[in-house]
Amino acid sequence: MKVLAALFMAVILAGVCDAAELSIGLIPEQNVFKQVKRYAPVGDYILKKTGNKINFVILPRYGNILESFSEKKLDGAFWGSFTGALAITQLGVEPIARPVNPDGNSTYKGYIFVRKDSGIGNIAGMKGKSIAFVEKATTAGYMFPMAWFKKHGITDVDRYFREHYFAGSHDAAITAVLDRQVDVGCAKNTIFDMLSQSDPRIGSELMVIAESVPVPSNGLGLANGIPADVKESIRKALLGMADDAEGRDILKTFRALRFIPTSREDYAPVFDMARDAGIDIKQYKYLNK
Amino acid sequence: MKRKIILSLCALFLFFTTGAVVASTYVTDITSRLSHLLKLHHIENLRRELVSNIQTVQADLYTVYTPQGHDMDSIVQNMSVLENSARQCAGACHHQPDIHARLKEIEANVTEYEAHLSYYITAAANSDMIQRIKSDAALSGNRLLALTERMSIEASRKLADMTSEAMTKIEKVLTIIAATLIVTFIMGVWVATRLTVSVTKPVGELLNATRVIAEGGVGHTIEYSGNTEFGELAANFNIMSMALKESYDKLTAANEALQLEIAERIQAENALTISEAFLNNVFNSIRDPLCIVDRDFTIIRANDAYAQFHKTDYPQILGVKCHEASFGNAQPCHDCIVRRTFDTSSPQWSEKYERRRNGEDRWLEIYTYPFLDSDGSARYVVKHMRDISQRKIMEDEVLKSRKLDSVGVLAGGLAHDFNNLLTSIMGNINLARNFPSPQVKALERLNEAERAALRAQDLTQQLLTFSKGGAPVKSASSIGELVTETARFVTTGSHVRCEFNIPDDIWTCDVDAGQISRVVHNIVVNAEHAMPDGGTIRITCCNVVVGGGDSVPLASGDYVKISIADTGVGIQPEMIGRIFDPYFSTKQKGSGLGLAASYSIVKKHDGQISVHSVPGVGTTFDIYLPADRRAAAPGRHDELQHSRGKGRVLVMDDEELVRGVAVEMIKQLGYDVDYASDGSEAVERYKAGMLGGSRYDVVIMDLSVPRGMGGKDAVEKLREIDPNVRAIVSSGYSNDPIMAEFGKYGFSGVVAKPYRIHDLGRAIQRAMSVDA
């Protein structure tokens, strides 16, 4: 009887030991509180399917995500496209999976938008105006507009614009333009489209001046040191969410159709855009001024 | 009463229920209010918690990025708590529309606050911008806080009002409950008291009444007036009590009557006992043996004389079969008078001879009387026996005396006849001697003498038939054949013819065929003589059953009646009474002994002969002979077959020729035969056979052995050796008394000479059927 109890405990403990507890960072793609609410069910699902507990850590800045990754000892994060590229390049993070948007795309674009009644219709109209970026470490919120500005001959935004700052999140940038806090805004189209559904003013009062090429949507990347079986179990859980009724309900709340596998190659457009923007990803300093 | 109880209890229950319902209603209302109050308290707590959370987040906002500030995760977590509080508060209960609107406003403010806070957390801009964003977040937080605090104050006030109102209602409910309980208690006590009194009082009276009745006061009644169940109970009780008294009185009277009846019955039983004792005394005082037999021939009652008669005690004789007790027979007697009584349900009479084991001869006169059931059948038979041995002896003596008288008459007659005959014989002889030429004349004289001698022979035969020595040697005979043959023989060559009316089913009779033939011969001869001019003799035979009440002086039983009727001159009435006397004759010819001999023969056969005649018309003789329905007269064609058998037979006869014929006949009958020449040799042979294990089954012994031991002495010797010897006596003298009463001399059977093979066979069969 004692032998059986010991064996039973060994099995239990083995199961417990096999389960990992991972800290996954969440970038401020939108309102940080909304971010937590959005990703929490996904974390619960992963726990249920794999036994691995996911603790989400809000990262208030896109910018210090890499430091936070080390300081907070994160095991992974749902990276943005640019931060994901940075993490792959500088931290050796392994992409696992990314969501497919409700429109069926697993990518997003960068928007540069103004109020329709601002009188701004092009790059020339932006001169001397104020602009809200998102973060230096974002594709749609900084890198794309910088590349677009460079493409249109503007290399010094400090001079061209009267004022610029980093809203910190895409929805903040959209709201800042909508609320006439700034004249021009930069944000990702997915957040733009999502907010326009909840606030019809966005669709009716704002207009998009420019948009970027598609880049990978925010996906999960795990640190190099995470055991392969853990990575595989999490990958498997995410990829199988669409096959599961519970998973499908979570995906609906998450506003995604499914998760698809993601690799380094999927980030090629980001690397190209960074080159176009004159950014050396390896050396890039992404802290906001 | 029942209605009163029900109404009282209903009223009590109704009052209690009313109070309980009212109290319940108030309690329900209060409970609802209290629940609402609890909810409100809960909501109030939620609001306070929300306020606290808002304050916490505001504090985080003011202190973020300072040494007193919390990290972003903590701020985010506190904001999540705040959001949860707001959600709980909004969904805590059903609010009034205005409250609901305010909660929605709070939710909207929380969302705005959240957005501002997130903006502040994530924004990276210059300090002015950052400060502006921070102010916007702080203002949003303050607005939220103010809204929440305002709602909380209002809710607290309402909560207090509601609490006060609820307490008031609680007090009211307590009052109602107390009043209900008190009044219910009072009512209950009153109802219980009233009901108790209304029940216990009549029950007590009823109880007393039952005690009185139990103590013997039958008929006691109670007085209770009231149109209630107890009134009805009292009335029924009184009825029951009166009925009980009536039954008791009847019972007492019946008991007294029963006592009287018992006394009378005892008296009757005593009288019966005395009567029975008297009857027993009478029954036992009867000196003749008396017994009562059931249908199984079992003796169920007997008197002392019967027990003594059978040399036993009364208890021993009960249960014994009467044939076993009286005659030692295992089965009922052949002609059982008791059986005849059961069969005919009429009294019977018989005489029975028995030779007892001790050799004593005894004659019994037996009367039987049926004891009839209601259906007329005999249930029991009373058997009355009387030892008439002495009487028989006396009768024999009287008979002998009469015989002697008859013999005297006969002797006188004979003397006269023989004198005549002798005179004729001697005279003729004398004359023959004296004739000068004696041959011719002597021959005529000698012829005359011969005729006289023949007549003397015939006379002698008649005398022998008439004498005691002419006892019938019986055998089963066909009366029809016997009568027909005899009558035809007599009327052969005569001018008289015979007409016969003899049925085929005429019973067989156990008779001496020769003697009965003589009877028929004598009567037919007389009938022929009565019709000198010819005529018809009508001979009729029929089966007759004589009962106890018949006029024919015969014992009850089966008989064959032979009627011989002529149409002759008849017999005068003054002579008909003497028709059977010896030497009485109405004819010129005749010895006068024919009918006397016929009478004697019929009597010796236990039969009856009678005559009735009408002068000028004719005469009819009726002869009754005992019949045996069971016996069948052997047909001539199977006489020999039925006479055969198996066994060892010893023949004793001194005459070699006779012995030889007998041996040959017995061999033909299938038996093994040995012979002896006298009684001594027969005894020795029999002894040797016994010792050798081959005992003779039958011994046939000649009576007269002039130069040795005869059969009579030999059978005595044999019985000494073997008491169960089966011996048959044989003789040429049918008149020998031993031949007639062979059983008395120790023989088992008889056969007359000259032998006929079937007579010999049947005699052997009969002897062998006797139990050895």
Side-chain angles (χ1 to χ4, degrees):
Chain A
M1 192 63 179
K2 288 183 181 176
V3 174
L4 283 175
L7 282 174
F8 180 69
M9 287 306 296
V11 169
I12 296 298
L13 288 173
V16 172
C17 290
D18 282 339
E21 189 167 344
L22 305 175
S23 296
I24 303 296
L26 292 177
I27 53 174
E29 181 182 12
Q30 57 176 328
N31 181 325
V32 297
F33 306 107
K34 290 182 182 176
Q35 278 289 82
V36 171
K37 280 184 274 190
R38 186 186 177 204
Y39 280 87
V42 175
D44 294 337
Y45 183 83
I46 291 172
L47 172 63
K48 195 172 180 179
K49 291 296 182 184
T50 67
N52 299 308
K53 186 169 172 25
I54 306 297
N55 298 320
F56 288 111
V57 178
I58 288 292
L59 304 171
R61 299 275 192 280
Y62 273 88
N64 57 350
I65 190 168
L66 295 182
E67 283 80 8
S68 296
F69 199 83
S70 299
E71 286 173 9
K72 295 181 189 294
K73 293 181 173 40
L74 297 180
D75 300 305
F78 276 89
W79 306 95
S81 59
F82 186 59
T83 51
L86 288 176
I88 290 170
T89 306
Q90 295 187 19
L91 299 178
V93 164
E94 181 182 346
I96 302 298
R98 71 181 190 277
V100 176
N101 301 328
D103 60 2
N105 295 318
S106 63
T107 58
Y108 70 90
K109 299 174 184 176
Y111 280 174
I112 300 174
F113 48 88
V114 296
R115 287 188 61 86
K116 287 180 180 176
D117 59 1
S118 66
I120 301 171
N122 50 30
I123 184 65
M126 296 181 191
K127 187 174 175 63
K129 301 294 181 185
S130 60
I131 185 169
F133 295 105
V134 178
E135 273 268 358
K136 284 186 77 173
T138 65
T139 305
Y142 183 76
M143 191 169 65
F144 160 63
M146 291 302 288
W148 191 72
F149 291 147
K150 188 175 179 182
K151 184 180 176 182
H152 288 85
I154 298 170
T155 58
D156 187 358
V157 294
D158 291 329
R159 278 191 178 188
Y160 193 77
F161 289 94
R162 183 185 80 240
E163 183 186 5
H164 77 277
Y165 73 99
F166 295 92
S169 62
H170 296 269
D171 61 337
I174 295 168
T175 305
V177 174
L178 186 66
D179 293 340
R180 301 177 193 276
Q181 292 177 6
V182 291
D183 300 308
V184 182
C186 311
K188 59 198 305 185
N189 70 319
T190 52
I191 301 298
F192 188 94
D193 294 338
M194 185 171 70
L195 286 183
S196 66
Q197 288 184 6
S198 61
D199 191 346
R201 291 185 303 156
I202 294 173
S204 63
E205 293 177 12
L206 302 182
M207 72 176 180
V208 177
I209 299 288
E211 65 180 48
S212 70
V213 296
V215 294
S217 56
N218 293 4
L220 177 65
L222 295 176
N224 209 10
I226 300 299
D229 59 334
V230 173
K231 289 183 185 175
E232 184 58 33
S233 66
I234 294 173
R235 176 188 287 116
K236 205 172 174 181
L238 290 175
L239 297 182
M241 279 182 82
D243 302 328
D244 185 285
E246 183 185 359
R248 284 195 290 275
D249 290 338
I250 294 171
L251 284 171
K252 194 173 178 181
T253 307
F254 189 73
R255 295 183 63 79
L257 294 182
R258 60 184 180 277
F259 277 86
I260 58 174
T262 306
S263 64
R264 183 191 173 93
E265 285 69 30
D266 293 316
Y267 287 88
V270 179
F271 294 128
D272 293 340
M273 198 180 294
R275 189 176 57 249
D276 292 342
I279 294 171
D280 181 4
I281 289 179
K282 292 181 185 176
Q283 307 288 335
Y284 184 58
K285 300 296 180 191
Y286 45 76
L287 290 175
N288 299 328
K289 281 196 295 190
Chain B
M1 187 66 209
K2 184 170 66 180
R3 191 166 52 245
K4 194 190 291 183
I5 293 173
I6 291 172
L7 286 175
S8 301
L9 292 175
C10 283
L12 186 66
F13 181 71
L14 190 65
F15 181 81
F16 182 79
T17 305
T18 304
V21 167
V22 169
S24 296
T25 306
Y26 275 105
V27 167
T28 304
D29 182 50
I30 291 166
T31 304
S32 172
R33 286 173 182 270
L34 287 175
S35 296
H36 189 58
L37 279 173
L38 284 173
K39 264 191 191 169
L40 290 176
H41 276 292
H42 177 63
I43 293 169
E44 182 58 26
N45 288 336
L46 288 176
R47 288 196 186 110
R48 290 190 182 179
E49 190 180 331
L50 179 62
V51 166
S52 172
N53 288 332
I54 296 169
Q55 289 172 343
T56 302
V57 174
Q58 283 289 79
D60 286 341
L61 179 65
Y62 290 135
T63 59
V64 71
Y65 302 127
T66 68
Q68 292 76 30
H70 295 135
D71 60 10
M72 207 53 60
D73 292 335
S74 174
I75 295 172
V76 171
Q77 189 172 357
N78 288 335
M79 192 62 203
S80 296
V81 171
L82 187 153
E83 194 179 4
N84 283 337
S85 294
R87 199 164 35 245
Q88 283 182 26
C89 194
C93 63
H94 174 69
H95 295 284
Q96 295 174 353
D98 59 334
I99 302 298
H100 188 71
R102 286 192 186 178
L103 289 172
K104 284 294 181 190
E105 187 182 351
I106 289 176
E107 279 186 11
N109 281 330
V110 168
T111 304
E112 181 189 343
Y113 185 44
E114 196 177 76
H116 283 295
L117 198 60
S118 175
Y119 199 5
Y120 173 67
I121 290 170
T122 59
N126 58 34
S127 62
D128 290 339
M129 177 67 76
I130 292 297
Q131 197 62 39
R132 194 167 63 247
I133 292 171
K134 183 178 179 180
S135 295
D136 289 340
L139 285 172
S140 178
N142 287 335
R143 279 198 298 276
L144 180 62
L145 189 63
L147 184 63
T148 307
E149 284 180 341
R150 192 164 56 248
M151 281 189 71
S152 181
I153 291 168
E154 287 178 5
S156 294
R157 190 172 62 247
K158 279 192 180 174
L159 199 62
D161 292 340
M162 289 180 72
T163 303
S164 175
E165 191 180 334
M167 291 307 295
T168 304
K169 281 197 186 266
I170 287 172
E171 287 177 4
K172 199 180 284 185
V173 166
L174 286 175
T175 305
I176 292 171
I177 290 173
T180 302
L181 287 175
I182 291 168
V183 173
T184 304
F185 176 75
I186 294 170
M187 278 184 69
V189 169
W190 181 79
V191 168
T193 305
R194 291 277 300 173
L195 290 177
T196 302
V197 170
S198 64
V199 169
T200 55
K201 185 182 173 192
V203 167
E205 286 185 20
L206 198 64
L207 190 63
N208 285 334
T210 55
R211 286 201 188 104
V212 169
I213 291 174
E215 289 168 1
V218 180
H220 177 73
T221 57
I222 56 177
E223 292 180 7
Y224 184 84
S225 60
N227 190 21
T228 65
E229 287 84 347
F230 283 107
E232 187 180 346
L233 180 65
N236 289 334
F237 179 84
N238 292 335
I239 294 170
M240 181 192 73
S241 180
M242 294 310 295
L244 187 65
K245 183 177 183 341
E246 188 180 335
S247 298
Y248 181 77
D249 292 340
K250 282 183 185 174
L251 193 64
T252 303
N255 188 37
E256 289 173 355
L258 186 64
Q259 293 294 329
L260 187 63
E261 187 180 330
I262 290 171
E264 289 175 357
R265 180 165 292 183
I266 292 172
Q267 194 175 358
E269 285 179 356
N270 291 335
L272 186 65
T273 304
I274 293 170
S275 172
E276 188 170 340
F278 173 75
L279 290 174
N280 275 337
N281 286 334
V282 170
F283 191 62
N284 286 318
S285 66
I286 296 173
R287 296 172 62 184
D288 288 341
L290 213 62
C291 72
I292 302 174
V293 177
D294 66 10
R295 293 195 75 91
D296 291 330
F297 304 98
T298 304
I299 298 170
I300 62 171
R301 191 75 185 270
N303 63 357
D304 292 341
Y306 190 90
Q308 290 168 10
F309 185 78
H310 293 88
K311 302 287 190 294
T312 184
D313 298 326
Y314 171 71
Q316 305 295 327
I317 205 71
L318 292 181
V320 178
K321 304 291 184 185
C322 72
H323 45 77
E324 181 183 337
S326 296
F327 309 110
N329 296 333
Q331 298 295 327
C333 303
H334 167 68
D335 55 349
C336 180
I337 186 174
V338 173
R339 178 189 290 149
R340 282 211 303 274
T341 310
F342 277 121
D343 292 344
T344 61
S345 299
S346 60
Q348 302 290 324
W349 169 87
S350 75
E351 287 183 355
K352 196 166 181 70
Y353 164 79
E354 67 168 2
R355 187 164 204 179
R356 306 194 73 185
R357 293 176 190 264
N358 58 3
E360 178 185 332
D361 295 333
R362 187 163 71 176
W363 277 95
L364 297 174
E365 189 175 51
I366 303 174
Y367 294 88
T368 58
Y369 308 95
F371 189 91
L372 300 179
D373 253 342
S374 56
D375 59 356
S377 63
R379 186 176 178 184
Y380 303 108
V381 167
V382 179
K383 184 177 175 186
H384 175 200
M385 299 168 67
R386 183 175 292 165
D387 191 341
I388 56 171
S389 302
Q390 291 297 322
R391 192 181 79 184
K392 277 293 185 185
I393 293 170
M394 291 176 65
E395 285 180 356
D396 285 345
E397 293 299 326
V398 169
L399 189 61
K400 279 181 188 172
S401 172
R402 288 184 183 170
K403 283 183 181 175
L404 284 173
D405 292 341
S406 298
V407 168
V409 172
L410 185 63
L414 278 174
H416 177 267
D417 287 342
F418 268 108
N419 279 335
N420 292 336
L421 291 168
L422 286 171
T423 300
S424 173
I425 294 168
M426 291 181 67
N428 280 297
I429 293 170
N430 196 18
L431 287 170
R433 285 175 63 196
N434 295 323
F435 280 128
S437 298
Q439 289 87 357
V440 176
K441 295 293 184 181
L443 183 63
E444 287 181 12
R445 300 298 102 198
L446 290 170
N447 289 341
E448 285 294 324
E450 185 182 38
R451 281 196 287 275
L454 286 171
R455 287 175 61 195
Q457 184 187 34
D458 185 58
L459 186 61
T460 305
Q461 236 6 77
Q462 294 278 16
L463 288 171
L464 284 173
T465 303
F466 189 63
S467 69
K468 184 178 179 181
V473 178
K474 299 180 184 177
S475 64
S477 304
S478 173
I479 293 298
E481 290 178 3
L482 185 68
V483 168
T484 307
E485 286 178 2
T486 305
R488 284 189 176 141
F489 176 75
V490 171
T491 57
T492 301
S494 156
H495 50 280
V496 172
R497 68 182 188 87
C498 291
E499 280 184 7
F500 300 96
N501 182 12
I502 302 172
D504 294 331
D505 61 347
I506 196 74
W507 292 335
T508 304
C509 295
D510 210 21
V511 297
D512 186 327
Q515 290 186 6
I516 298 301
S517 178
R518 179 168 292 283
V519 169
V520 173
H521 172 93
N522 291 338
I523 296 173
V524 171
V525 166
N526 286 340
E528 187 184 11
H529 291 168
M531 294 183 291
D533 298 328
T536 303
I537 302 173
R538 292 183 177 79
I539 301 175
T540 307
C541 295
C542 62
N543 299 326
V544 174
V545 178
V546 174
D550 290 349
S551 59
V552 180
L554 285 170
S556 302
D558 300 331
Y559 294 87
V560 172
K561 178 183 177 183
I562 306 166
S563 296
I564 304 173
D566 64 49
T567 55
V569 296
I571 304 170
Q572 297 300 318
E574 61 275 12
M575 296 180 186
I576 201 161
R578 300 179 61 193
I579 201 76
F580 295 110
D581 289 343
Y583 285 101
F584 177 82
S585 176
T586 59
K587 300 181 291 188
Q588 294 289 330
K589 297 180 184 177
S591 61
L593 292 176
L595 289 181
S598 297
Y599 182 90
S600 175
I601 288 169
V602 172
K603 279 298 184 183
K604 285 187 170 72
H605 280 79
D606 296 323
Q608 174 66 25
I609 184 167
S610 61
V611 61
H612 54 89
S613 179
V614 178
V617 176
T619 303
T620 302
F621 284 86
D622 293 323
I623 304 163
Y624 290 84
L625 295 172
D628 186 355
R629 301 195 204 194
R630 293 169 295 179
R636 292 185 187 280
H637 63 282
D638 60 356
E639 274 184 359
L640 182 59
Q641 191 60 36
H642 284 203
S643 303
R644 288 183 178 278
K646 290 289 180 190
R648 293 193 75 209
V649 179
L650 178 63
V651 176
M652 186 279 282
D653 200 305
D654 59 336
E655 291 289 336
E656 183 179 354
L657 289 174
V658 174
R659 191 170 64 233
V661 169
V663 166
E664 194 58 35
M665 285 184 177
I666 294 172
K667 281 184 180 176
Q668 282 195 20
L669 290 171
Y671 296 96
D672 296 328
V673 187
D674 288 328
Y675 60 85
S677 58
D678 63 4
S680 301
E681 185 182 357
V683 171
E684 292 303 320
R685 281 188 177 272
Y686 193 89
K687 197 188 297 182
M690 281 189 71
L691 293 173
S694 56
R695 174 178 171 267
Y696 288 100
D697 297 303
V698 174
V699 181
I700 302 175
M701 290 190 285
D702 187 19
L703 259 182
S704 57
V705 179
R707 288 176 289 281
M709 186 189 288
K712 180 175 175 293
D713 296 331
V715 75
E716 288 176 5
K717 296 288 184 187
L718 287 175
R719 290 188 79 82
E720 290 173 5
I721 300 169
D722 180 10
N724 297 319
V725 62
R726 300 188 188 107
I728 298 175
V729 62
S730 172
S731 177
Y733 301 99
S734 60
N735 58 341
D736 195 304
I738 298 177
M739 293 288 284
E741 296 173 307
F742 57 86
K744 287 172 65 175
Y745 297 93
F747 290 96
S748 304
V750 60
V751 61
K753 297 178 186 178
Y755 294 134
R756 292 193 298 169
I757 188 168
H758 80 274
D759 287 340
L760 205 54
R762 291 189 64 183
I764 294 172
Q765 285 177 343
R766 281 184 185 165
M768 288 181 74
S769 68
V770 174
D771 290 335

